[in-house]
Amino acid sequence: MGVEVYLGDAAGAADAVRGELAGAGVPRALAEGDPTLWGPEAQPEAEIRLGWLNLARTSRELLPEIAKLVERVRAEGLDHVVLAGMGGSSLAPEVICATEDVPLTVLDTTDPGQVRRALGDRLDRTIVVVSSKSGGTVETDSHRRIYEQAFRDAGIDPADRIVVVTDPGSPLEKSAGEAGYQVFLADPNVGGRYSALSAFGLVPSAVAGADVARLLDDAAAVQPLLARDEGNPGLDLGALLGAMALAGKDKLILRDSLSDINGLPDWIEQLIAESTGKSGKGILPVVGAESAEGPDQYTVNIGAEGDVRVEGPLGAQFLVWEYATAIAGRVLGIDPFNQPNVAESKENTGKILESAPEIGAPLLVDGPVEVYGELPGHPKNLADVLTALLHAIPERGYLAIMAYLDREAAYDAAPLGTADFEQTAEAWAAADVATLRALLDYRTGHAVTFGWGPRFLHSTGQFHKGGPQSGVFLQITGAVSDDVPVPGRPYTLGRLQLAQALGDIGALRSRNRPTVRLHLTDRVAGVAHLLAVAEEL
């Protein structure tokens, strides 16, 4: 099966761009891995970042060794699969496993509660896949250290329970070899966000129970189309993305519709935001919006519903969206393979961890919510703060909500089986800080995004700092009542989480991005109060 791209009423805008690309020989050149397509400045990076074009073939070499690992895991009864990874190392496996309905616990967080929950779940039957391209990702390093200690404390040899996926020559490859862990080496010529069909996507998904050979088959089926000038879904989609951005529609509303795929917009969000959000340009994917309301927005549906839509199996969609993103980079005149602004927040985090952060006094306190930042008009309460933020969004701008909290905490509000599912879902939504996105989206025609920190730092975080100067930022942090130490490090997860939040907000403020931080002194009460105030705006 291939991928079908239906352009609907956007066909006219895309046709002109598609014709220019075809006339310049771009489709075939990209399919053949030409690194000159994005200009001389981007060429050195492109020369070492186009391996994703061939993963449908080259990743097959991994399948026998993956099959042996899966056989061992099943034989030993290890039915709790934990993936410790960030960004491209976690988002693709999360989509793959959700689509195939196989359980995978994803740790792409530094929240102590979320990590403690994973640790408390069937440790005696847990296998951990530690995935890091660089081998030095601080979140993943912390997870590895925590699980190593937990396994030892339980009398389990970590070498029997930890599998590593990394690039050749990384520090993690060396330390994993010394520890006796099984190591899968990924293609070093593939960037993290283009790595869905590499070892980073395949190993944890296969261990969880997904059919990864089928992913490669589906990608291989669509690959020959990517050299064509006509009937090329990657070219059609890339021309659409580029044409819309050039026309001022740079907010891409991504919607799941009638599809067998679950959660693909979250993966697309990272791919496009981190690839295009730089040099004051970019395409901002928006996940969760019901429809495109503003003149700078348009909607693309995943599945069989909607005027503009992309249909096809997951493996093929991975490859087509990667190709389309590379095409959009060419149209916008940017390098789709670098991420020049991602490191800044990491560096700020490191500095904060070395010394106690200077928090300062809150602007105001409203119940269990402290407000930090500067706002015009002397706000008196939380309602004034939220209203001021909405009014601060510039024309063709957006509001980004960034929550450094426990992504799964809302599920504690109503355990499954205690009521009918509709009531349970309502209880979850009422306790979930992510509900704030919909509440504020309802009150503005501007795009509103939501990201879990530090997960989004490996995704939209690049767009926030490198993209257009049009964002307004609302950060949410929370008090930690039950922290988790990081073995061998002079900090806890709670301290790391706060340092990441403060480091990122510092990077935004250094660019004069409007920012406000809400700190919940009681997380449960704080979320409830915040949502109640937003409901009444």
Side-chain angles (χ1 to χ4, degrees), residues 73-125:
V73 168
R74 299 292 177 270
E76 295 178 6
L78 305 178
D79 58 1
H80 182 216
V81 183
V82 175
L83 170 59
M86 301 298 298
S89 299
S90 63
L91 288 165
E94 190 170 64
V95 176
I96 294 166
C97 293
T99 297
E100 296 219 12
D101 195 24
V102 294
L104 176 69
T105 297
V106 176
L107 284 184
D108 54 1
T109 181
T110 45
D111 186 83
Q114 196 169 333
V115 173
R116 193 179 290 280
R117 185 182 292 104
L119 282 169
D121 183 5
R122 296 166 288 164
L123 184 67
D124 60 324
R125 306 203 308 270

Side-chain angles (χ1 to χ4, degrees), residues 50 88 125 194 263 300 318 332 346 386 393 400 404 423 485 513:
L50 289 170
R125 306 203 308 270
Y194 291 82
V300 173
F318 280 144
L332 296 179
K346 297 179 184 178
L386 296 179
I393 304 172
Y404 287 81
Q423 291 176 319
R513 266 49 168 180

